[in-house]
Amino acid sequence: MSDGYGNDAYGIDGYASDDVADEESAPAQERTFAALPPARGRGFAESWWGRAWVKALEDTALDGEQVKQGRRFAREGRVGAVSVRPGRITAVVQDRDSTAYRSDVLLQQLNEEEWDRFLDMAVDRAGHIAALLDREMPPHLVEDAAAAGVDLLPGIGDLDPECTCETWDHCPHSAALCYQVARLLDQDPFVLLLMRGRGERRLLDELQVRIAVRAAEREPAEPSAAENRRARGVRADETFAARDILPPLPAPPPLPAEPGPAPSLHTETEPEPGLDPAALEVLVTDSAVRAYRMLADALAPGHEQQSVQRELTPEQDAVRLVADARPEPWIVTRLSTGSGRQRAELDAAVRAWGYGGAVALAVLDEEWAPDPGSLARARARLAEAWEDGERPQLRAAGNRWTVAGGGVQLRYGRDGRWWPYRKERGRWNPAGPADDDPAAVLAGALGDGLAQVGDGGCAGDEGSGRRALQQPGQGDLLR
């Protein structure tokens, strides 16, 4: 885009410009933009200001077909250089038969009183001052200006087309010009203020003068923390009021093929005391994997209906890190200390994490008393699964039910599911995933561990495990 300031002529196929406002020189009050290339395969407006301009055009035009034809002309690159000055935009637009027409669109300028209100409003808002002086136009400027009685975007009847084709209302040529202006606003929203009567240079000069006057009227004071926060943010009610002209949210990012690799932290520079590059690389790699999983979850259908997971404690996260990252043994030793577990205990915790994450880890650690109703339902399920005299005898202790004389245990979790455990080297270890049905969990644990439980039962004998766990002369301890 070319945005050089010209003299007081349009410079478009010999068309002369109108008189320039007396209060400001022509170069500062007129800008000429070179013709833009065709816009095939893309929308005309990408920025908030460009979209707002297109919406204003389409909402106020009386002939929708003419506007659609103009959009096609602009998309095909039929709009020549565009000149912008207070109250008027001008360009030469070619018809499909190559006939050139001069099109002008007039926009009502703001009067002096409206400009005073606009500038006073901008000075009152620290965020607007900072943005404008940085040559930025925040979208919520529109709402604040409207609250001050100043309409920046055109309304019904504000865009007055003139074209040498002599068509009433918006012809395809003037509509094409308006669509091209939307692309200019994508690149420089100050074009809108120039159309309303103030060039960027004059506007910023007047803003600086008002800032200086305000500063002289009161003692300088440090802005409060609340003012700083307000300057950086956008009020919720302002955003809600602008909902009809805000652009749609962008499409979510695509999921990468895999997590990114961790950078190498081994350099010629010695690390700071207490900093271990190898351990830090493990943390960086783990963070990349977790971020990848979180993004995959966020892009999955129905993610918004999932409950928010609780934050892990440092001890739980140490277990998770061992389970997920599989670090070197010396790092595992450090994590064992951080988790508050001996190595054998950490191995059991890692196995539990693999079966069910934090929920399974809690089942490993916690002993508690379930409500009688839950225990009664579990007894009924167990009774239904075995014939009389064949059901394994279980000793109950809180949420832990142990097969009498064997090495199998059921644990009831606070999530309402049953978890299988098996005794190995004198320690209870998780033996599989959970299930709502305690009978199914018990049958699976017995079927997988016959060689470790009972007194001579062997794998593959469907009833041997059950018979081996029956103590002659004893009844079911969970009747």
Side-chain angles (χ1 to χ4, degrees):
M1 181 188 72
S2 170
D3 64 347
Y5 295 110
N7 53 27
D8 64 347
Y10 278 111
I12 302 179
D13 291 352
Y15 288 113
S17 66
D18 297 330
D19 295 335
V20 179
D22 295 336
E23 65 270 17
E24 189 170 356
S25 63
Q29 282 289 86
E30 181 177 345
R31 298 179 66 180
T32 300
F33 298 82
L36 296 175
R40 296 185 180 92
R42 52 153 296 198
F44 270 94
E46 297 179 345
S47 70
W48 184 92
W49 289 99
R51 292 177 185 272
W53 174 269
V54 168
K55 179 175 175 57
L57 166 67
E58 295 175 347
D59 287 352
T60 58
L62 299 179
D63 192 335
E65 288 302 318
Q66 299 278 44
V67 170
K68 291 180 181 178
Q69 181 69 19
R71 183 168 61 239
R72 288 192 287 268
F73 279 7
R75 188 178 293 280
E76 293 168 1
R78 297 182 178 276
V79 181
V82 178
S83 287
V84 182
R85 60 187 297 178
R88 182 183 294 266
I89 52 177
T90 303
V92 171
V93 181
Q94 286 193 344
D95 217 333
R96 286 188 169 168
D97 61 0
S98 299
T99 304
Y101 296 93
R102 168 177 167 164
S103 284
D104 294 76
V105 175
L106 281 62
L107 178 64
Q108 183 67 41
Q109 299 183 54
L110 302 180
N111 57 38
E112 289 299 323
E113 181 182 353
E114 290 172 323
W115 277 114
D116 285 339
R117 291 201 300 269
F118 175 83
L119 292 169
D120 286 340
M121 176 276 302
V123 172
D124 287 338
R125 292 289 186 92
H128 292 333
I129 294 175
L132 290 171
L133 293 181
D134 202 28
R135 288 171 170 76
E136 297 178 357
M137 287 265 288
H140 51 282
L141 190 69
V142 168
E143 294 301 319
D144 291 341
V150 180
D151 293 323
L152 294 181
L153 291 171
I156 297 177
D158 284 351
L159 295 177
D160 186 13
E162 295 180 354
C163 186
T164 54
C165 75
E166 298 183 353
T167 301
W168 179 77
D169 192 47
H170 274 291
C171 64
H173 314 105
S174 64
L177 170 58
C178 288
Y179 276 108
Q180 201 77 323
V181 169
R183 296 177 67 184
L184 301 182
L185 290 172
D186 277 350
Q187 303 174 53
D188 187 357
F190 276 88
V191 169
L192 177 61
L193 296 183
L194 176 56
M195 285 187 282
R196 284 298 197 183
R198 289 287 192 277
E200 177 182 332
R201 190 177 310 164
R202 179 180 176 187
L203 178 72
L204 296 179
D205 288 344
E206 292 185 356
L207 190 62
Q208 292 276 21
V209 170
R210 288 174 185 262
I211 294 172
V213 171
R214 291 285 181 92
E217 291 176 350
R218 58 188 179 186
E219 291 294 328
E222 290 294 327
S224 65
E227 289 173 336
N228 282 331
R229 288 194 298 271
R230 188 163 56 247
R232 290 193 297 268
V234 180
R235 288 176 45 176
D237 59 342
E238 297 170 359
T239 302
F240 181 78
R243 63 191 182 280
D244 293 332
I245 55 176
L246 288 174
L249 293 174
L255 182 68
E258 58 185 11
S264 175
L265 301 179
H266 294 282
T267 64
E268 298 178 356
T269 304
E270 290 295 323
E272 293 291 329
L275 180 63
D276 191 328
L280 186 57
E281 285 183 1
V282 172
L283 294 177
V284 172
T285 301
D286 176 68
S287 297
V289 172
R290 292 181 67 192
Y292 182 84
R293 290 176 179 172
M294 292 171 67
L295 179 58
D297 290 343
L299 296 177
H303 170 71
E304 69 282 358
Q305 300 177 2
Q306 301 298 320
S307 59
V308 179
Q309 296 183 354
R310 291 184 178 180
E311 185 175 353
L312 300 179
T313 65
E315 294 77 16
Q316 290 173 325
D317 199 48
V319 175
R320 180 204 61 79
L321 188 57
V322 175
D324 290 351
R326 303 293 180 183
E328 296 293 331
W330 65 272
I331 295 180
V332 174
T333 300
R334 293 175 59 176
L335 291 171
S336 175
T337 303
S339 68
R341 303 173 190 267
Q342 300 297 327
R343 279 299 298 267
E345 296 172 338
L346 179 60
D347 291 341
V350 169
R351 186 186 298 185
W353 185 274
Y355 287 130
V359 174
L361 192 59
V363 173
L364 173 69
D365 294 333
E366 296 179 358
E367 291 188 58
W368 57 287
D371 64 278
S374 298
L375 299 182
R377 286 190 294 270
R379 291 190 186 98
R381 298 293 289 270
L382 290 167
E384 294 171 358
W386 274 271
E387 295 181 2
D388 293 340
E390 292 190 358
R391 178 153 51 97
Q393 300 175 28
L394 300 172
R395 301 179 185 276
N399 66 319
R400 300 180 179 186
W401 293 6
T402 307
V403 174
V408 172
Q409 185 181 85
L410 299 183
R411 295 192 180 185
Y412 186 59
R414 295 185 186 274
D415 61 343
R417 296 184 297 168
W418 292 87
W419 301 75
Y421 272 70
R422 187 173 296 120
K423 203 165 193 176
E424 300 170 354
R425 301 183 184 89
R427 183 185 303 276
W428 288 109
N429 287 320
D435 196 292
D436 294 332
D437 185 356
V441 175
L442 181 57
L446 293 173
D448 292 341
L450 294 179
Q452 303 178 45
V453 300
D455 54 356
C458 59
D461 185 346
E462 181 178 354
S464 61
R466 299 171 185 169
R467 291 193 296 272
L469 294 172
Q470 293 295 320
Q471 298 296 322
Q474 275 193 323
D476 188 344
L477 302 183
L478 289 180
R479 286 180 181 171

PDB file of all heavy atoms in Angstrom, residues 103-127:
ATOM      1  N   SER A 103     -16.115   7.391  -9.097  1.00  0.00           N
ATOM      2  CA  SER A 103     -17.069   7.215  -8.003  1.00  0.00           C
ATOM      3  C   SER A 103     -16.580   7.976  -6.785  1.00  0.00           C
ATOM      4  O   SER A 103     -15.391   7.943  -6.450  1.00  0.00           O
ATOM      5  CB  SER A 103     -17.234   5.740  -7.640  1.00  0.00           C
ATOM      6  OG  SER A 103     -18.025   5.073  -8.585  1.00  0.00           O
ATOM      7  N   ASP A 104     -17.506   8.676  -6.145  1.00  0.00           N
ATOM      8  CA  ASP A 104     -17.239   9.378  -4.892  1.00  0.00           C
ATOM      9  C   ASP A 104     -18.253   8.892  -3.858  1.00  0.00           C
ATOM     10  O   ASP A 104     -19.406   8.596  -4.192  1.00  0.00           O
ATOM     11  CB  ASP A 104     -17.392  10.892  -5.062  1.00  0.00           C
ATOM     12  CG  ASP A 104     -16.354  11.474  -5.985  1.00  0.00           C
ATOM     13  OD1 ASP A 104     -16.493  11.310  -7.229  1.00  0.00           O
ATOM     14  OD2 ASP A 104     -15.397  12.081  -5.491  1.00  0.00           O
ATOM     15  N   VAL A 105     -17.817   8.803  -2.636  1.00  0.00           N
ATOM     16  CA  VAL A 105     -18.721   8.530  -1.521  1.00  0.00           C
ATOM     17  C   VAL A 105     -18.485   9.618  -0.491  1.00  0.00           C
ATOM     18  O   VAL A 105     -17.355   9.822  -0.037  1.00  0.00           O
ATOM     19  CB  VAL A 105     -18.484   7.144  -0.915  1.00  0.00           C
ATOM     20  CG1 VAL A 105     -19.367   6.944   0.320  1.00  0.00           C
ATOM     21  CG2 VAL A 105     -18.770   6.053  -1.944  1.00  0.00           C
ATOM     22  N   LEU A 106     -19.562  10.341  -0.163  1.00  0.00           N
ATOM     23  CA  LEU A 106     -19.465  11.445   0.792  1.00  0.00           C
ATOM     24  C   LEU A 106     -19.887  10.947   2.176  1.00  0.00           C
ATOM     25  O   LEU A 106     -20.857  10.194   2.303  1.00  0.00           O
ATOM     26  CB  LEU A 106     -20.357  12.604   0.365  1.00  0.00           C
ATOM     27  CG  LEU A 106     -19.818  13.525  -0.753  1.00  0.00           C
ATOM     28  CD1 LEU A 106     -19.594  12.765  -2.051  1.00  0.00           C
ATOM     29  CD2 LEU A 106     -20.771  14.697  -0.999  1.00  0.00           C
ATOM     30  N   LEU A 107     -19.170  11.394   3.167  1.00  0.00           N
ATOM     31  CA  LEU A 107     -19.448  11.032   4.551  1.00  0.00           C
ATOM     32  C   LEU A 107     -19.484  12.308   5.375  1.00  0.00           C
ATOM     33  O   LEU A 107     -18.583  13.144   5.289  1.00  0.00           O
ATOM     34  CB  LEU A 107     -18.363  10.081   5.084  1.00  0.00           C
ATOM     35  CG  LEU A 107     -18.488   9.638   6.536  1.00  0.00           C
ATOM     36  CD1 LEU A 107     -19.759   8.824   6.743  1.00  0.00           C
ATOM     37  CD2 LEU A 107     -17.265   8.802   6.941  1.00  0.00           C
ATOM     38  N   GLN A 108     -20.552  12.455   6.183  1.00  0.00           N
ATOM     39  CA  GLN A 108     -20.706  13.657   6.978  1.00  0.00           C
ATOM     40  C   GLN A 108     -19.527  13.850   7.922  1.00  0.00           C
ATOM     41  O   GLN A 108     -19.142  12.952   8.663  1.00  0.00           O
ATOM     42  CB  GLN A 108     -21.997  13.571   7.794  1.00  0.00           C
ATOM     43  CG  GLN A 108     -22.309  14.797   8.627  1.00  0.00           C
ATOM     44  CD  GLN A 108     -22.623  16.009   7.753  1.00  0.00           C
ATOM     45  OE1 GLN A 108     -23.312  15.879   6.749  1.00  0.00           O
ATOM     46  NE2 GLN A 108     -22.109  17.167   8.129  1.00  0.00           N
ATOM     47  N   GLN A 109     -18.930  15.055   7.893  1.00  0.00           N
ATOM     48  CA  GLN A 109     -17.827  15.350   8.808  1.00  0.00           C
ATOM     49  C   GLN A 109     -18.364  15.698  10.195  1.00  0.00           C
ATOM     50  O   GLN A 109     -19.498  16.169  10.342  1.00  0.00           O
ATOM     51  CB  GLN A 109     -17.004  16.517   8.277  1.00  0.00           C
ATOM     52  CG  GLN A 109     -16.353  16.278   6.927  1.00  0.00           C
ATOM     53  CD  GLN A 109     -15.503  17.462   6.510  1.00  0.00           C
ATOM     54  OE1 GLN A 109     -14.616  17.890   7.257  1.00  0.00           O
ATOM     55  NE2 GLN A 109     -15.773  17.995   5.322  1.00  0.00           N
ATOM     56  N   LEU A 110     -17.550  15.463  11.203  1.00  0.00           N
ATOM     57  CA  LEU A 110     -17.893  15.893  12.551  1.00  0.00           C
ATOM     58  C   LEU A 110     -17.668  17.399  12.655  1.00  0.00           C
ATOM     59  O   LEU A 110     -16.701  17.944  12.108  1.00  0.00           O
ATOM     60  CB  LEU A 110     -17.020  15.166  13.583  1.00  0.00           C
ATOM     61  CG  LEU A 110     -17.080  13.633  13.575  1.00  0.00           C
ATOM     62  CD1 LEU A 110     -16.153  13.074  14.653  1.00  0.00           C
ATOM     63  CD2 LEU A 110     -18.496  13.131  13.776  1.00  0.00           C
ATOM     64  N   ASN A 111     -18.571  18.085  13.362  1.00  0.00           N
ATOM     65  CA  ASN A 111     -18.382  19.524  13.545  1.00  0.00           C
ATOM     66  C   ASN A 111     -17.429  19.788  14.712  1.00  0.00           C
ATOM     67  O   ASN A 111     -16.985  18.864  15.399  1.00  0.00           O
ATOM     68  CB  ASN A 111     -19.730  20.221  13.754  1.00  0.00           C
ATOM     69  CG  ASN A 111     -20.499  19.648  14.946  1.00  0.00           C
ATOM     70  OD1 ASN A 111     -19.911  19.304  15.976  1.00  0.00           O
ATOM     71  ND2 ASN A 111     -21.821  19.550  14.811  1.00  0.00           N
ATOM     72  N   GLU A 112     -17.108  21.032  14.941  1.00  0.00           N
ATOM     73  CA  GLU A 112     -16.130  21.393  15.971  1.00  0.00           C
ATOM     74  C   GLU A 112     -16.583  20.936  17.361  1.00  0.00           C
ATOM     75  O   GLU A 112     -15.768  20.467  18.171  1.00  0.00           O
ATOM     76  CB  GLU A 112     -15.904  22.904  15.966  1.00  0.00           C
ATOM     77  CG  GLU A 112     -15.145  23.416  14.752  1.00  0.00           C
ATOM     78  CD  GLU A 112     -13.752  22.805  14.670  1.00  0.00           C
ATOM     79  OE1 GLU A 112     -13.108  22.605  15.725  1.00  0.00           O
ATOM     80  OE2 GLU A 112     -13.306  22.518  13.544  1.00  0.00           O
ATOM     81  N   GLU A 113     -17.856  21.069  17.633  1.00  0.00           N
ATOM     82  CA  GLU A 113     -18.352  20.653  18.950  1.00  0.00           C
ATOM     83  C   GLU A 113     -18.183  19.143  19.139  1.00  0.00           C
ATOM     84  O   GLU A 113     -17.784  18.674  20.212  1.00  0.00           O
ATOM     85  CB  GLU A 113     -19.828  21.030  19.093  1.00  0.00           C
ATOM     86  CG  GLU A 113     -20.419  20.644  20.450  1.00  0.00           C
ATOM     87  CD  GLU A 113     -21.894  20.982  20.540  1.00  0.00           C
ATOM     88  OE1 GLU A 113     -22.419  21.629  19.611  1.00  0.00           O
ATOM     89  OE2 GLU A 113     -22.518  20.581  21.543  1.00  0.00           O
ATOM     90  N   GLU A 114     -18.461  18.368  18.086  1.00  0.00           N
ATOM     91  CA  GLU A 114     -18.305  16.911  18.187  1.00  0.00           C
ATOM     92  C   GLU A 114     -16.841  16.527  18.351  1.00  0.00           C
ATOM     93  O   GLU A 114     -16.507  15.607  19.118  1.00  0.00           O
ATOM     94  CB  GLU A 114     -18.905  16.254  16.942  1.00  0.00           C
ATOM     95  CG  GLU A 114     -20.430  16.343  16.905  1.00  0.00           C
ATOM     96  CD  GLU A 114     -20.997  15.874  15.578  1.00  0.00           C
ATOM     97  OE1 GLU A 114     -20.366  16.139  14.525  1.00  0.00           O
ATOM     98  OE2 GLU A 114     -22.080  15.248  15.586  1.00  0.00           O
ATOM     99  N   TRP A 115     -15.947  17.224  17.649  1.00  0.00           N
ATOM    100  CA  TRP A 115     -14.523  16.928  17.813  1.00  0.00           C
ATOM    101  C   TRP A 115     -14.061  17.270  19.230  1.00  0.00           C
ATOM    102  O   TRP A 115     -13.228  16.556  19.812  1.00  0.00           O
ATOM    103  CB  TRP A 115     -13.687  17.687  16.783  1.00  0.00           C
ATOM    104  CG  TRP A 115     -13.617  17.005  15.449  1.00  0.00           C
ATOM    105  CD1 TRP A 115     -14.119  17.431  14.269  1.00  0.00           C
ATOM    106  CD2 TRP A 115     -13.012  15.728  15.184  1.00  0.00           C
ATOM    107  NE1 TRP A 115     -13.879  16.523  13.272  1.00  0.00           N
ATOM    108  CE2 TRP A 115     -13.188  15.464  13.809  1.00  0.00           C
ATOM    109  CE3 TRP A 115     -12.356  14.790  15.968  1.00  0.00           C
ATOM    110  CZ2 TRP A 115     -12.718  14.305  13.204  1.00  0.00           C
ATOM    111  CZ3 TRP A 115     -11.883  13.628  15.362  1.00  0.00           C
ATOM    112  CH2 TRP A 115     -12.057  13.398  14.011  1.00  0.00           C
ATOM    113  N   ASP A 116     -14.585  18.351  19.778  1.00  0.00           N
ATOM    114  CA  ASP A 116     -14.234  18.697  21.162  1.00  0.00           C
ATOM    115  C   ASP A 116     -14.656  17.588  22.113  1.00  0.00           C
ATOM    116  O   ASP A 116     -13.898  17.200  23.026  1.00  0.00           O
ATOM    117  CB  ASP A 116     -14.908  20.015  21.560  1.00  0.00           C
ATOM    118  CG  ASP A 116     -14.220  21.224  20.940  1.00  0.00           C
ATOM    119  OD1 ASP A 116     -13.039  21.091  20.546  1.00  0.00           O
ATOM    120  OD2 ASP A 116     -14.848  22.298  20.863  1.00  0.00           O
ATOM    121  N   ARG A 117     -15.864  17.082  21.942  1.00  0.00           N
ATOM    122  CA  ARG A 117     -16.334  16.003  22.816  1.00  0.00           C
ATOM    123  C   ARG A 117     -15.491  14.745  22.634  1.00  0.00           C
ATOM    124  O   ARG A 117     -15.167  14.045  23.599  1.00  0.00           O
ATOM    125  CB  ARG A 117     -17.811  15.700  22.541  1.00  0.00           C
ATOM    126  CG  ARG A 117     -18.761  16.810  22.966  1.00  0.00           C
ATOM    127  CD  ARG A 117     -20.171  16.266  23.154  1.00  0.00           C
ATOM    128  NE  ARG A 117     -20.703  15.675  21.943  1.00  0.00           N
ATOM    129  CZ  ARG A 117     -21.408  16.335  21.029  1.00  0.00           C
ATOM    130  NH1 ARG A 117     -21.648  17.635  21.194  1.00  0.00           N
ATOM    131  NH2 ARG A 117     -21.885  15.716  19.965  1.00  0.00           N
ATOM    132  N   PHE A 118     -15.140  14.452  21.379  1.00  0.00           N
ATOM    133  CA  PHE A 118     -14.331  13.263  21.119  1.00  0.00           C
ATOM    134  C   PHE A 118     -12.962  13.373  21.786  1.00  0.00           C
ATOM    135  O   PHE A 118     -12.497  12.435  22.447  1.00  0.00           O
ATOM    136  CB  PHE A 118     -14.168  13.069  19.609  1.00  0.00           C
ATOM    137  CG  PHE A 118     -13.250  11.939  19.234  1.00  0.00           C
ATOM    138  CD1 PHE A 118     -13.709  10.636  19.198  1.00  0.00           C
ATOM    139  CD2 PHE A 118     -11.914  12.170  18.927  1.00  0.00           C
ATOM    140  CE1 PHE A 118     -12.866   9.583  18.862  1.00  0.00           C
ATOM    141  CE2 PHE A 118     -11.063  11.136  18.591  1.00  0.00           C
ATOM    142  CZ  PHE A 118     -11.543   9.841  18.556  1.00  0.00           C
ATOM    143  N   LEU A 119     -12.305  14.514  21.634  1.00  0.00           N
ATOM    144  CA  LEU A 119     -10.971  14.690  22.206  1.00  0.00           C
ATOM    145  C   LEU A 119     -11.023  14.708  23.729  1.00  0.00           C
ATOM    146  O   LEU A 119     -10.138  14.170  24.399  1.00  0.00           O
ATOM    147  CB  LEU A 119     -10.334  15.959  21.664  1.00  0.00           C
ATOM    148  CG  LEU A 119      -9.975  15.918  20.167  1.00  0.00           C
ATOM    149  CD1 LEU A 119      -9.610  17.313  19.659  1.00  0.00           C
ATOM    150  CD2 LEU A 119      -8.826  14.952  19.916  1.00  0.00           C
ATOM    151  N   ASP A 120     -12.056  15.345  24.297  1.00  0.00           N
ATOM    152  CA  ASP A 120     -12.199  15.328  25.761  1.00  0.00           C
ATOM    153  C   ASP A 120     -12.382  13.905  26.274  1.00  0.00           C
ATOM    154  O   ASP A 120     -11.817  13.520  27.298  1.00  0.00           O
ATOM    155  CB  ASP A 120     -13.397  16.189  26.175  1.00  0.00           C
ATOM    156  CG  ASP A 120     -13.105  17.672  26.045  1.00  0.00           C
ATOM    157  OD1 ASP A 120     -11.910  18.041  26.002  1.00  0.00           O
ATOM    158  OD2 ASP A 120     -14.069  18.459  25.983  1.00  0.00           O
ATOM    159  N   MET A 121     -13.188  13.128  25.542  1.00  0.00           N
ATOM    160  CA  MET A 121     -13.383  11.737  25.930  1.00  0.00           C
ATOM    161  C   MET A 121     -12.067  10.962  25.877  1.00  0.00           C
ATOM    162  O   MET A 121     -11.737  10.187  26.779  1.00  0.00           O
ATOM    163  CB  MET A 121     -14.418  11.087  25.006  1.00  0.00           C
ATOM    164  CG  MET A 121     -14.668   9.598  25.225  1.00  0.00           C
ATOM    165  SD  MET A 121     -13.484   8.507  24.381  1.00  0.00           S
ATOM    166  CE  MET A 121     -13.695   9.019  22.677  1.00  0.00           C
ATOM    167  N   ALA A 122     -11.282  11.174  24.829  1.00  0.00           N
ATOM    168  CA  ALA A 122     -10.016  10.459  24.683  1.00  0.00           C
ATOM    169  C   ALA A 122      -9.045  10.826  25.794  1.00  0.00           C
ATOM    170  O   ALA A 122      -8.343   9.964  26.332  1.00  0.00           O
ATOM    171  CB  ALA A 122      -9.403  10.745  23.319  1.00  0.00           C
ATOM    172  N   VAL A 123      -9.017  12.105  26.157  1.00  0.00           N
ATOM    173  CA  VAL A 123      -8.099  12.544  27.212  1.00  0.00           C
ATOM    174  C   VAL A 123      -8.527  11.988  28.564  1.00  0.00           C
ATOM    175  O   VAL A 123      -7.685  11.713  29.430  1.00  0.00           O
ATOM    176  CB  VAL A 123      -8.022  14.084  27.245  1.00  0.00           C
ATOM    177  CG1 VAL A 123      -7.226  14.569  28.445  1.00  0.00           C
ATOM    178  CG2 VAL A 123      -7.386  14.593  25.962  1.00  0.00           C
ATOM    179  N   ASP A 124      -9.827  11.792  28.750  1.00  0.00           N
ATOM    180  CA  ASP A 124     -10.312  11.262  30.026  1.00  0.00           C
ATOM    181  C   ASP A 124      -9.943   9.802  30.227  1.00  0.00           C
ATOM    182  O   ASP A 124      -9.930   9.319  31.358  1.00  0.00           O
ATOM    183  CB  ASP A 124     -11.843  11.412  30.113  1.00  0.00           C
ATOM    184  CG  ASP A 124     -12.257  12.853  30.321  1.00  0.00           C
ATOM    185  OD1 ASP A 124     -11.420  13.646  30.799  1.00  0.00           O
ATOM    186  OD2 ASP A 124     -13.413  13.192  29.984  1.00  0.00           O
ATOM    187  N   ARG A 125      -9.673   9.092  29.154  1.00  0.00           N
ATOM    188  CA  ARG A 125      -9.347   7.669  29.243  1.00  0.00           C
ATOM    189  C   ARG A 125      -7.858   7.470  28.974  1.00  0.00           C
ATOM    190  O   ARG A 125      -7.375   7.705  27.867  1.00  0.00           O
ATOM    191  CB  ARG A 125     -10.149   6.859  28.222  1.00  0.00           C
ATOM    192  CG  ARG A 125     -11.647   6.807  28.514  1.00  0.00           C
ATOM    193  CD  ARG A 125     -11.895   5.925  29.751  1.00  0.00           C
ATOM    194  NE  ARG A 125     -13.318   5.734  29.992  1.00  0.00           N
ATOM    195  CZ  ARG A 125     -14.007   4.724  29.512  1.00  0.00           C
ATOM    196  NH1 ARG A 125     -13.421   3.810  28.767  1.00  0.00           N
ATOM    197  NH2 ARG A 125     -15.299   4.614  29.782  1.00  0.00           N
ATOM    198  N   ALA A 126      -7.140   7.020  29.991  1.00  0.00           N
ATOM    199  CA  ALA A 126      -5.697   6.837  29.836  1.00  0.00           C
ATOM    200  C   ALA A 126      -5.387   5.827  28.737  1.00  0.00           C
ATOM    201  O   ALA A 126      -4.410   5.977  27.994  1.00  0.00           O
ATOM    202  CB  ALA A 126      -5.082   6.377  31.166  1.00  0.00           C
ATOM    203  N   GLY A 127      -6.229   4.801  28.614  1.00  0.00           N
ATOM    204  CA  GLY A 127      -5.980   3.795  27.592  1.00  0.00           C
ATOM    205  C   GLY A 127      -6.091   4.357  26.195  1.00  0.00           C
ATOM    206  O   GLY A 127      -5.311   4.014  25.307  1.00  0.00           O
TER     207      GLY A 127
END
